[in-house]
Amino acid sequence: MKIVYASTPGQEEKVVELANYFYSDIFPLYFTDEDIHEFERLEVLHTRPEQFERFSTLGDAFQVITSMQTLISILESGHIPEKYQSMFRKNVQILTDYGICFPFNYSQFSESNHVHLEYISTYTKAANRLLL
């Protein structure tokens, strides 16, 4: 007899939170608003209830969360050293294995693709609130 622990609603919420973080904090560093809008249309990093069934155990959900966090760490570092290329590919493959669309390769996040700092994306979170 084998005991398998189901993923928790909190883990599913964390996956959604990390996907939202990609859209608000990571993608605007490398892509234009038009590109990001197209990612939404293509359902990049989107999860539907049937996808959560693919990683329904604690271990599976943990792998998805860890893969997303690893990709975020690599991409937030700004300059992406070549030594992280295989780690990047491995984590993209894990997401793909669980049915999560992340159709990017390592070179799409190179410094030459880094969007200029003057560019303000509509996808980034506001730095403050307007007080009325």
Side-chain angles (χ1 to χ4, degrees), residues 54-109:
R54 294 185 83 176
F55 51 93
S56 59
T57 67
L58 281 174
D60 293 342
F62 181 71
Q63 264 197 306
V64 169
I65 291 167
T66 303
S67 292
M68 292 176 86
Q69 288 174 330
T70 301
L71 289 170
I72 288 169
S73 294
I74 291 170
L75 297 174
E76 280 186 331
S77 69
H79 171 69
I80 305 169
E82 286 292 319
K83 67 181 180 179
Y84 293 124
Q85 189 169 2
S86 63
M87 186 185 305
F88 180 91
R89 281 193 310 264
K90 176 185 175 190
N91 285 284
V92 169
Q93 186 59 52
I94 289 169
L95 294 179
T96 302
D97 291 346
Y98 285 104
I100 298 174
C101 177
F102 192 80
F104 304 104
N105 60 50
Y106 185 78
S107 64
Q108 290 175 280
F109 295 99

Side-chain angles (χ1 to χ4, degrees), residues 104-117:
F104 304 104
N105 60 50
Y106 185 78
S107 64
Q108 290 175 280
F109 295 99
S110 68
E111 292 242 358
S112 62
N113 288 342
H114 207 277
V115 175
H116 300 293
L117 294 176

Side-chain angles (χ1 to χ4, degrees), residues 7-37:
S7 62
T8 66
Q11 287 174 311
E12 293 174 5
E13 289 171 15
K14 184 66 174 179
V15 170
V16 171
E17 177 187 315
L18 290 169
N20 289 337
Y21 187 83
F22 267 97
Y23 277 91
S24 64
D25 292 79
I26 302 297
F27 290 157
L29 296 174
Y30 296 96
F31 302 102
T32 65
D33 282 358
E34 293 81 24
D35 293 334
I36 298 169
H37 180 70

